[in-house]
Amino acid sequence: MSNEKYNTLAFDFGASSGRAIVGSFDGEKIELSEIHRFPNDPVFVGGTMYWDVLRLFHEIKQGLLKSRPYNIKSLGIDTWGVDFGLLDKDGKLLENPVHYRDKRNIGMLNKAFSYISQEELYNITGNQFMEINTAFQLLSLKLARPDLLSRADKMLLMPDLFRYFLTGEKTTEYSIASTTQLLDAENRCWSKRVIDALSLPEGIFCDIVPTGSAAGTLSDEICEELSIQPCAVTAVAGHDTQCAMVAVPTEKDDFIFLSCGTWSLLGTELSEPLINEKTLRCNVTNEGG
């Protein structure tokens, strides 16, 4: 095989830090090089905890600048789950995304159960019940800030939002969608039943694209600003847990993994969601990837 290397760029965002990694493949082996690392600190303003999304996008640009010697062919982005940004009809960000640990989520779980039963919600989504989940964050907006939600044209989860900033394309990658408690786990689409039960605006949800699908190219604006060449952008597994799971070094079907970050997660890989009375009772979560 040719010794020419294929270089790709990965941006990996955790809940406290981020990094840019160049992966090089020469036809036989993969090499990884960390080229940029940065903190990811929340910011309190007016009693609300936000993600500093503009600073984080600046760090993406710094990673792109540092990747110039590698002749990058493609890039992908993964982040933590559940959080999102809202865009208006002109594609402008309405406000900084709110951190999942913000107090606005308190009480939303029980409020949701007054609109749709716990059992039905779990049977549709297969998601562990946590007040931080996207469904309950959106419900808090519906109840406390309906004016903001009414101005929203689209909702983009964090990896999809960064990808939109780079390409102008508005899509939702499948694995990150499955963290929201709004996805029909069996049919792999947004659940109209859940969206309607919570009285959320159906139009804000973007088309769901398969993990690993093409998702545009770097925009001319970005390339001109940074003096870089355009490259393909891929909708990789947008949730960082799924990215870690894909890297588990096993070829066996029967295995478990332990992923440790700001959260520690124990799980395995199945061909279909596991949703029944026992998994509901144990609060087991199902996530696509």
Coordinates of all heavy atoms in Angstrom, one line a residue, residues 28-60:
E28 N -1.3 1.1 7.1 CA -1.0 0.0 8.0 C -1.3 0.3 9.5 O -1.8 -0.5 10.2 CB 0.4 -0.5 7.8 CG 0.7 -1.0 6.5 CD 2.2 -1.5 6.3 OE1 2.9 -1.3 7.3 OE2 2.5 -2.1 5.3
K29 N -1.0 1.5 9.9 CA -1.1 1.8 11.3 C -1.7 3.3 11.5 O -1.5 4.1 10.6 CB 0.2 1.7 12.1 CG 1.3 2.7 11.7 CD 2.5 2.5 12.6 CE 3.6 3.5 12.2 NZ 4.8 3.3 13.0
I30 N -2.3 3.5 12.6 CA -2.8 4.8 13.0 C -1.9 5.5 14.0 O -1.5 4.8 15.0 CB -4.2 4.7 13.5 CG1 -5.2 4.1 12.4 CG2 -4.8 6.0 14.0 CD1 -6.6 3.8 13.0
E31 N -1.6 6.7 13.8 CA -0.8 7.5 14.8 C -1.7 8.7 15.2 O -2.4 9.3 14.4 CB 0.5 8.0 14.2 CG 1.4 6.9 13.8 CD 2.7 7.5 13.2 OE1 2.8 8.7 12.9 OE2 3.7 6.7 13.1
L32 N -1.7 9.0 16.5 CA -2.4 10.1 17.1 C -1.5 11.2 17.6 O -0.5 10.8 18.3 CB -3.4 9.7 18.2 CG -4.4 8.6 17.8 CD1 -5.2 8.2 19.0 CD2 -5.3 9.1 16.7
S33 N -1.8 12.4 17.3 CA -0.9 13.5 17.8 C -1.8 14.6 18.4 O -2.7 15.2 17.7 CB -0.1 14.1 16.7 OG 0.8 13.2 16.1
E34 N -1.7 15.0 19.7 CA -2.4 16.1 20.3 C -1.7 17.4 19.9 O -0.6 17.6 20.1 CB -2.4 15.9 21.8 CG -3.2 17.0 22.5 CD -3.3 16.9 24.0 OE1 -3.7 15.9 24.5 OE2 -2.8 17.9 24.6
I35 N -2.5 18.2 19.2 CA -1.9 19.5 18.7 C -2.4 20.7 19.5 O -1.9 21.8 19.4 CB -2.1 19.7 17.2 CG1 -3.6 19.8 16.9 CG2 -1.4 18.6 16.4 CD1 -3.9 20.2 15.4
H36 N -3.5 20.5 20.3 CA -4.1 21.7 21.0 C -4.9 21.2 22.1 O -5.7 20.2 22.0 CB -5.0 22.5 20.0 CG -5.5 23.8 20.6 ND1 -4.6 24.7 21.2 CD2 -6.7 24.4 20.7 CE1 -5.4 25.8 21.6 NE2 -6.6 25.6 21.3
R37 N -4.8 21.8 23.3 CA -5.7 21.5 24.4 C -6.1 22.8 25.1 O -5.3 23.8 25.2 CB -4.9 20.6 25.4 CG -5.7 20.2 26.7 CD -4.9 19.3 27.5 NE -4.8 17.9 27.0 CZ -5.7 17.0 27.2 NH1 -6.7 17.2 28.1 NH2 -5.5 15.8 26.7
F38 N -7.3 22.8 25.7 CA -7.8 24.0 26.3 C -8.8 23.7 27.3 O -9.5 22.7 27.3 CB -8.5 24.9 25.2 CG -9.4 24.1 24.3 CD1 -10.8 24.0 24.6 CD2 -8.9 23.5 23.1 CE1 -11.6 23.3 23.7 CE2 -9.8 22.7 22.3 CZ -11.1 22.7 22.6
P39 N -9.1 24.6 28.3 CA -10.1 24.4 29.3 C -11.5 24.7 28.8 O -11.6 25.4 27.8 CB -9.7 25.5 30.4 CG -9.0 26.6 29.6 CD -8.3 25.9 28.5
N40 N -12.5 24.1 29.4 CA -13.9 24.4 29.1 C -14.6 24.7 30.4 O -15.1 23.9 31.1 CB -14.5 23.1 28.5 CG -15.9 23.4 28.1 OD1 -16.4 24.5 28.1 ND2 -16.6 22.3 27.7
D41 N -14.6 26.0 30.7 CA -15.1 26.5 32.0 C -16.5 27.1 31.8 O -16.6 28.0 30.9 CB -14.2 27.5 32.6 CG -12.8 27.0 32.9 OD1 -12.7 25.8 33.5 OD2 -11.8 27.6 32.6
P42 N -17.4 26.8 32.6 CA -18.7 27.4 32.6 C -18.6 28.9 33.1 O -17.7 29.2 33.8 CB -19.6 26.6 33.5 CG -18.7 26.0 34.5 CD -17.4 25.7 33.7
V43 N -19.6 29.7 32.7 CA -19.6 31.1 33.1 C -21.0 31.4 33.7 O -22.0 31.2 33.0 CB -19.3 32.0 31.8 CG1 -19.4 33.5 32.3 CG2 -18.0 31.7 31.2
F44 N -21.0 32.0 34.9 CA -22.2 32.4 35.5 C -22.5 33.9 35.2 O -21.6 34.8 35.3 CB -22.1 32.3 37.1 CG -22.2 30.9 37.6 CD1 -21.1 30.1 37.8 CD2 -23.5 30.4 37.8 CE1 -21.3 28.8 38.3 CE2 -23.7 29.1 38.3 CZ -22.6 28.3 38.6
V45 N -23.7 34.1 34.7 CA -24.1 35.5 34.4 C -25.6 35.6 34.8 O -26.4 34.8 34.3 CB -24.0 35.9 32.9 CG1 -24.5 37.3 32.6 CG2 -22.6 35.7 32.4
G46 N -25.9 36.6 35.7 CA -27.3 36.8 36.1 C -28.0 35.6 36.7 O -29.2 35.4 36.5
G47 N -27.2 34.7 37.4 CA -27.8 33.6 38.0 C -27.9 32.3 37.1 O -28.5 31.3 37.5
T48 N -27.5 32.4 35.9 CA -27.5 31.3 34.9 C -26.1 30.8 34.6 O -25.2 31.6 34.4 CB -28.2 31.8 33.6 OG1 -29.6 32.1 33.9 CG2 -28.3 30.6 32.6
M49 N -26.0 29.5 34.5 CA -24.7 28.9 34.1 C -24.7 28.6 32.6 O -25.5 27.8 32.2 CB -24.5 27.6 34.9 CG -23.1 27.0 34.6 SD -22.9 25.3 35.4 CE -22.8 25.8 37.1
Y50 N -23.8 29.3 31.9 CA -23.7 29.1 30.5 C -22.4 28.4 30.1 O -21.4 28.4 30.8 CB -23.7 30.5 29.8 CG -24.9 31.3 29.9 CD1 -25.0 32.3 30.9 CD2 -26.0 31.1 29.1 CE1 -26.1 33.1 31.0 CE2 -27.1 31.9 29.2 CZ -27.2 32.9 30.1 OH -28.3 33.7 30.3
W51 N -22.4 27.8 28.9 CA -21.2 27.4 28.2 C -20.6 28.6 27.5 O -21.4 29.3 26.8 CB -21.5 26.2 27.2 CG -21.9 25.0 27.9 CD1 -23.2 24.4 27.8 CD2 -21.1 24.0 28.6 NE1 -23.2 23.3 28.5 CE2 -21.9 23.0 29.0 CE3 -19.7 24.0 28.9 CZ2 -21.5 21.9 29.7 CZ3 -19.3 22.9 29.7 CH2 -20.1 21.9 30.1
D52 N -19.3 28.8 27.5 CA -18.7 29.9 26.8 C -18.5 29.5 25.3 O -17.3 29.3 24.9 CB -17.4 30.3 27.5 CG -16.9 31.6 27.1 OD1 -17.5 32.2 26.2 OD2 -15.8 32.1 27.7
V53 N -19.5 29.4 24.6 CA -19.5 28.8 23.3 C -18.6 29.6 22.3 O -18.0 28.9 21.4 CB -20.9 28.6 22.7 CG1 -21.6 29.9 22.4 CG2 -21.0 27.7 21.5
L54 N -18.6 30.9 22.4 CA -17.7 31.6 21.5 C -16.3 31.4 21.7 O -15.5 31.3 20.8 CB -18.1 33.1 21.5 CG -19.5 33.5 21.2 CD1 -19.7 35.0 21.2 CD2 -19.9 32.9 19.8
R55 N -15.9 31.3 23.0 CA -14.5 30.9 23.3 C -14.2 29.5 22.8 O -13.1 29.3 22.3 CB -14.3 31.0 24.8 CG -13.1 30.4 25.4 CD -11.8 30.8 24.7 NE -11.6 32.3 24.8 CZ -10.5 32.9 24.4 NH1 -9.5 32.2 23.8 NH2 -10.4 34.2 24.4
L56 N -15.1 28.6 23.0 CA -14.9 27.3 22.5 C -14.7 27.2 21.0 O -13.9 26.5 20.5 CB -16.0 26.3 23.0 CG -16.1 26.1 24.5 CD1 -17.3 25.2 24.8 CD2 -14.8 25.6 25.1
F57 N -15.5 28.0 20.3 CA -15.3 28.0 18.8 C -14.0 28.7 18.5 O -13.4 28.3 17.5 CB -16.5 28.8 18.2 CG -16.5 28.7 16.7 CD1 -16.6 27.4 16.1 CD2 -16.5 29.8 15.9 CE1 -16.6 27.3 14.7 CE2 -16.5 29.7 14.5 CZ -16.5 28.5 13.9
H58 N -13.6 29.7 19.2 CA -12.2 30.2 19.0 C -11.2 29.1 19.2 O -10.2 29.1 18.4 CB -12.0 31.3 20.1 CG -10.6 31.8 20.1 ND1 -10.0 32.7 19.2 CD2 -9.6 31.5 21.0 CE1 -8.7 32.9 19.5 NE2 -8.4 32.2 20.6
E59 N -11.3 28.2 20.1 CA -10.4 27.2 20.3 C -10.4 26.2 19.2 O -9.4 25.6 18.8 CB -10.6 26.4 21.7 CG -10.5 27.3 22.9 CD -9.1 27.9 23.2 OE1 -8.2 27.5 22.4 OE2 -9.0 28.7 24.1
I60 N -11.6 26.0 18.6 CA -11.6 25.2 17.3 C -10.8 25.8 16.3 O -10.0 25.1 15.5 CB -13.1 25.0 16.9 CG1 -13.8 24.0 17.8 CG2 -13.1 24.4 15.5 CD1 -15.3 23.8 17.5

